[in-house]
Amino acid sequence: MTNSSIDLKPNEHLSSCDNRDVISFDSRDPIYISKLFALVRSAFEGHIIYYISNSITQKLANKCDAKLWFEDGEKCEILKATSSGWKTGKMKLKINISLEFISDQPEQDKSPLDDVRQEFNQSNS
């Protein structure tokens, strides 16, 4: 499978990480964030896509090659009730996955008045 079949989106905490950043899960050795992303992609591309492909192929009585859906796409035609004829193209399946880090410490929103308060406190001291 190609990496284009899996769209792994990190949340704001993870998207600010780079290849040198690491993550540690309870009492396990730390791993690079990039390695975690590779492991998640690999799991989906290896097993889950295989099961989805087999299920689609079985349900459609082997009339399609669902494995192609995750790669280049399988050639097909679509006929819309409002159109004047068949439209040719490809059916492609893409999985969107969100990987999130939720901090235990909520980030403090800085108020625009914080600087004014600080100046006021300094001038009154």
Side-chain angles (χ1 to χ4, degrees):
M1 299 292 155
T2 62
N3 281 343
S4 64
S5 61
I6 300 293
D7 185 15
L8 184 57
K9 295 183 185 214
N11 71 349
E12 65 276 357
H13 290 287
L14 292 175
S15 64
S16 64
C17 295
D18 65 31
N19 290 336
R20 297 170 305 183
D21 296 332
V22 296
I23 188 167
S24 177
F25 297 98
D26 290 339
S27 71
R28 294 184 188 96
D29 291 336
I31 64 169
Y32 288 105
I33 296 284
S34 58
K35 173 85 173 177
L36 175 64
F37 276 81
L39 291 171
V40 170
R41 277 191 189 98
S42 176
F44 274 90
E45 289 179 347
H47 301 294
I48 293 173
I49 290 178
Y50 170 79
Y51 291 115
I52 291 170
S53 295
N54 282 344
S55 178
I56 291 170
T57 302
Q58 288 174 2
K59 300 274 192 281
L60 294 176
N62 296 324
K63 294 182 181 175
C64 72
D65 183 359
K67 290 178 189 172
L68 286 176
W69 291 21
F70 293 99
E71 295 171 357
D72 296 328
E74 183 169 0
K75 290 182 180 182
C76 64
E77 295 177 313
I78 190 167
L79 179 61
K80 294 175 77 178
T82 57
S83 70
S84 60
W86 289 92
K87 187 169 188 172
T88 60
K90 292 181 180 179
M91 180 64 67
K92 186 170 182 174
L93 185 58
K94 187 169 186 171
I95 298 174
N96 296 306
I97 305 166
S98 174
L99 191 59
E100 297 182 355
F101 171 79
I102 297 105
S103 177
D104 289 337
Q105 297 89 23
E107 293 186 23
Q108 300 292 332
D109 291 333
K110 187 173 179 181
S111 168
L113 297 176
D114 287 346
D115 293 334
V116 174
R117 287 185 190 114
Q118 184 178 5
E119 286 179 30
F120 179 77
N121 289 336
Q122 288 175 348
S123 65
N124 287 334
S125 315

